[in-house]
Amino acid sequence: MKKNLALALIVSMLASVALTGCGGSTGGNGGNGGSAAVGAEYLNLDGTLPIIKDVAAFEKANGGKLTMQIINDAARTVEVKDLAMVQRWKEDTGIEFDWKVMSSDSAAEKLSLMLTSGDDLPDAFWNFPGGLSGQYAVQYSDQDVFIPTEDLIDEYCPTLVKILEDNPQYQKEIVTPDGHKYGFPYIEQMKGLVMTSGPLLINQNWLDAVGMDMPTTVDEFTDVIYAFKEAGDLNGNGEADEIPVLTMFGPEEIDTFGSYNMFYRFTGCFGQADSYCYGNYTADHLAVIDGKITFTGWEESIRKTADYFHQLYADGLLNVDCFEATTTTNYTNNELIQDVAKAGVLGCWTDMQITNNDVRHEYAPIPQLTGEAGLSGFPLNFSEMQDTSNTTITTACKYPEVIACFVEYLISDPSLSVQSNWGAVGYNYYEDENGMLCFNLDERGDIIPVAPYTSFGEMRTNTTPARGSMIVLDEYYDTVCQYTYDAVTLLQGQYVNGKEEQLARGTNVPKMLMTLEENQRLAQIQPVISDIVDRYVANSVKNGTSDAEWNAYKEELKAAGVEELVSIFQTAYDRVNQ
């Protein structure tokens, strides 16, 4: 239930929201449309830099700096205004934002209160919690909070116009049901990286020690992990601390791109693969089959996968805390940060989560496994258009054209967009003799961090706000930049795991912007349905399955509104694809 808290908070105060405007003067394309003419003497709105050519005159006319609300990364130790990329943006554009920082812990509730009351609106929002910018845009589309941006995009963002023309699926995903665009998108093309789970890995050293080959079928996989259990001290530390299989059964909000709950990776081996993804979680357990939205959470493959995992659980092959994972207590914060290998098989988003490089190099990706009725893995219900409406402009903004020109500045220079997304030159990157962004790696291919930071992630977090309305395209790799350092082995592992076959199924449900009424209803029924599935899987893995419990499970799903859920998604899917 917790995983849908953000969406529930968005709609929970809906009934109390007045239908009149809720704050701020309407600026630019949102209303008076006159700021470009008024600011002609101190603004460049033709794509040249700086955007603000007379900062003092602009801030006098605007009443101060442009304000930008940001949901801050909890791991950030550098103030947003002091980040290397923020300083570069200021030097290039003349824009110095007054960053309004909000803690991620309570962001959903605080934003709902702010947007409902209309008090103290910033000029723009940099980002929103949980990839939900589109839902915020839809909810407040008729509340005089956000201004439509399609005219701004057409006039000031030629790079974005071209990207949307070249990717018609993004055009479908970015338009709200009222026909408008709000804000600007975050697009991260990485050769389909975010469209399947992270790698399923096996300890090659352990595999060699038990004298077995890399498994290619579920039966061979089963034989291997039982061999791991019987082998004894495979990591050589003199302790009985080896775990044949690491997995976790929740919560979904810490399961990055469906990578840690191994259960769903195996559903395709027993029939119809089940899909989920926190980035599009209202579409959990849905698939597009022959053009129809189908609920896959009650397919027979669920029950058969539960039978399989029950046997593993009963025989002690799973980590004992697999049902107790929390944000801070899970195997990514425990077994994966040890100085010896603790697991035979594990799922991860990236093998960089194994923090000891020597241990990390022990692992290899498992080829796609063949089961009794299909293949392992599943395509995620997600999109490389990860956020539709980041950098939304509010009705409090007098100069929306300046925000639009700033977005164009960010995305029109591929090198700048890459650094703004992943980190600055001098930290995550250096420029080679051809100006290509490269990583500073040691002889084994591990990044050499720049003090005081110890990892790629720390350098990223403390040199750029990231995300926002960045756009990174596949064509940038090997021309503008090396493929993202911490995802190289991730992508390679995905391909070994069967990425191409999984994507070829074409069953994933894309991100779609729902109507306000659809979002309201989803907030009521989808968390209940998702919770029913979670409870059935957990109970069945622990205790086994029975015909009576399976039938009761399906009846409980019907009573919770699963058929209505499918209908809502089918309506949205047909609307987007008409």
Side-chain angles (χ1 to χ4, degrees):
M1 300 290 281
K2 179 182 176 184
K3 63 190 173 186
N4 289 285
L5 177 60
L7 180 57
L9 282 169
I10 293 175
V11 300
S12 63
M13 290 177 251
L14 187 65
S16 64
V17 178
L19 293 179
T20 57
C22 46
S25 60
T26 303
N29 287 46
N32 61 35
S35 60
V38 172
E41 69 274 20
Y42 44 79
L43 296 176
N44 282 322
L45 300 176
D46 59 358
T48 58
L49 295 176
I51 297 170
I52 299 178
K53 57 187 178 181
D54 187 335
V55 174
F58 172 78
E59 291 186 358
K60 180 179 180 181
N62 188 57
K65 296 178 175 63
L66 290 168
T67 54
M68 182 71 77
Q69 186 78 53
I70 184 172
I71 312 301
N72 207 24
D73 190 320
R76 181 168 290 131
T77 58
V78 176
E79 288 190 43
V80 176
K81 67 181 180 61
D82 295 326
L83 297 173
M85 295 311 300
V86 172
Q87 288 295 307
R88 176 175 170 181
W89 302 341
K90 173 186 171 183
E91 292 171 6
D92 288 350
T93 68
I95 302 172
E96 181 179 11
F97 291 112
D98 179 6
W99 293 90
K100 303 296 185 182
V101 177
M102 186 177 290
S103 169
S104 59
D105 294 340
S106 55
E109 184 173 7
K110 287 182 177 178
L111 282 178
S112 291
L113 290 171
M114 176 191 293
L115 295 171
T116 301
S117 68
D119 294 335
D120 298 321
L121 288 176
D123 290 297
F125 286 84
W126 181 256
N127 58 353
F128 292 87
L132 293 173
S133 63
Q135 281 89 331
Y136 280 93
V138 169
Q139 176 168 350
Y140 295 96
S141 60
D142 63 350
Q143 304 303 319
D144 198 26
V145 172
F146 301 127
I147 67 169
T149 52
E150 58 268 15
D151 292 339
L152 289 168
I153 291 170
D154 288 344
E155 185 168 357
Y156 299 107
C157 302
T159 301
L160 179 54
V161 169
K162 178 68 163 55
I163 290 169
L164 294 176
E165 289 175 349
D166 291 344
N167 298 272
Q169 73 275 20
Y170 296 163
Q171 186 75 260
K172 294 176 182 178
E173 292 172 5
I174 197 176
V175 177
T176 59
D178 69 0
H180 289 299
K181 300 181 180 81
Y182 293 92
F184 306 86
Y186 171 70
I187 302 170
E188 189 182 71
Q189 290 182 347
M190 295 185 67
K191 302 182 180 180
L193 188 80
V194 298
M195 296 308 298
T196 59
S197 301
L200 181 63
L201 302 176
I202 192 166
N203 192 301
Q204 184 66 55
N205 288 7
W206 292 16
L207 197 60
D208 294 341
V210 298
M212 301 182 76
D213 295 328
M214 180 70 74
T216 60
T217 68
V218 172
D219 289 342
E220 291 173 357
F221 175 85
T222 305
D223 290 341
V224 165
I225 59 177
Y226 274 90
F228 287 167
K229 185 177 188 298
E230 299 300 322
D233 189 19
L234 286 169
N235 63 18
N237 68 348
E239 300 179 22
D241 57 355
E242 288 81 4
I243 303 167
V245 177
L246 273 180
T247 188
M248 63 176 79
F249 289 91
E252 187 180 328
E253 59 262 33
I254 64 172
D255 193 355
T256 307
F257 296 110
S259 302
Y260 310 135
N261 188 334
M262 203 175 296
F263 182 95
Y264 294 102
R265 294 179 186 263
F266 277 76
T267 52
C269 296
F270 298 98
Q272 174 60 51
D274 195 21
S275 180
Y276 73 112
C277 179
Y278 186 61
N280 190 19
Y281 52 67
T282 58
D284 282 355
H285 314 298
L286 296 177
V288 180
I289 300 175
D290 297 328
K292 297 296 182 182
I293 299 292
T294 303
F295 185 75
T296 53
W298 58 12
E299 296 287 332
E300 191 70 20
S301 56
I302 297 290
R303 180 176 179 177
K304 289 184 176 181
T305 306
D307 286 334
Y308 177 73
F309 273 84
H310 170 63
Q311 193 62 55
L312 302 186
Y313 178 78
D315 290 345
L317 276 78
L318 309 183
N319 46 309
V320 295
D321 60 349
C322 60
F323 295 102
E324 301 167 8
T326 67
T327 302
T328 56
T329 306
N330 63 75
Y331 68 72
T332 67
N333 295 320
N334 189 354
E335 285 83 1
L336 299 196
I337 62 174
Q338 305 300 316
D339 290 333
V340 296
K342 292 295 185 74
V345 177
L346 61 93
C348 59
W349 172 236
T350 166
D351 65 356
M352 298 301 294
Q353 292 171 300
I354 304 172
T355 55
N356 182 291
N357 288 335
D358 292 330
V359 174
R360 179 164 59 85
H361 287 290
E362 293 184 24
Y363 287 88
I366 298 175
Q368 188 169 29
L369 298 173
T370 301
E372 65 181 54
L375 299 168
S376 60
F378 59 92
L380 296 172
N381 288 338
F382 201 51
S383 171
E384 290 180 317
M385 166 79 78
Q386 295 187 36
D387 250 315
T388 65
S389 309
N390 273 2
T391 319
T392 52
I393 304 173
T394 76
T395 52
C397 184
K398 298 177 183 177
Y399 293 89
E401 298 89 347
V402 173
I403 303 293
C405 288
F406 178 75
V407 171
E408 173 64 16
Y409 154 76
L410 287 180
I411 66 176
S412 61
D413 180 345
S415 177
L416 175 64
S417 198
V418 167
Q419 292 177 67
S420 298
N421 192 36
W422 284 310
V425 164
Y427 293 89
N428 297 67
Y429 295 102
Y430 72 90
E431 288 184 313
D432 70 6
E433 63 276 10
N434 298 314
M436 190 165 86
L437 300 174
C438 302
F439 303 106
N440 189 21
L441 307 178
D442 64 20
E443 65 279 0
R444 293 201 305 180
D446 299 323
I447 199 161
I448 301 173
V450 176
Y453 309 116
T454 61
S455 69
F456 179 94
E458 282 188 8
M459 291 190 292
R460 180 189 190 189
T461 298
N462 289 291
T463 62
T464 181
R467 298 183 74 92
S469 290
M470 315 301 174
I471 296 179
V472 178
L473 303 178
D474 284 341
E475 63 198 54
Y476 297 172
Y477 304 119
D478 300 323
T479 57
V480 175
C481 63
Q482 292 180 323
Y483 191 82
T484 306
Y485 158 72
D486 65 342
V488 174
T489 54
L490 192 171
L491 184 65
Q492 293 170 350
Q494 288 178 323
Y495 279 122
V496 174
N497 288 168
K499 184 182 194 74
E500 290 180 318
E501 186 280 331
Q502 292 158 28
L503 293 179
R505 296 174 192 171
T507 58
N508 64 293
V509 178
K511 293 190 78 169
M512 298 181 291
L513 290 173
M514 304 290 189
T515 67
L516 186 57
E517 293 74 19
E518 288 166 345
N519 274 335
Q520 283 181 282
R521 190 58 181 148
L522 285 175
Q524 294 171 330
I525 64 175
Q526 195 281 334
V528 178
I529 292 167
S530 186
D531 184 59
I532 292 169
V533 177
D534 290 346
R535 283 190 287 105
Y536 177 80
V537 169
N539 180 67
S540 298
V541 172
K542 289 178 181 178
N543 304 309
T545 66
S546 69
D547 290 344
E549 288 174 330
W550 177 248
N551 292 331
Y553 164 66
K554 292 193 288 185
E555 289 302 317
E556 188 177 7
L557 286 169
K558 288 182 181 179
V562 69
E563 291 164 336
E564 184 181 2
L565 176 78
V566 169
S567 178
I568 290 172
F569 268 88
Q570 187 69 58
T571 298
Y573 185 77
D574 292 342
R575 180 175 62 234
V576 167
N577 289 283
Q578 63 183 2

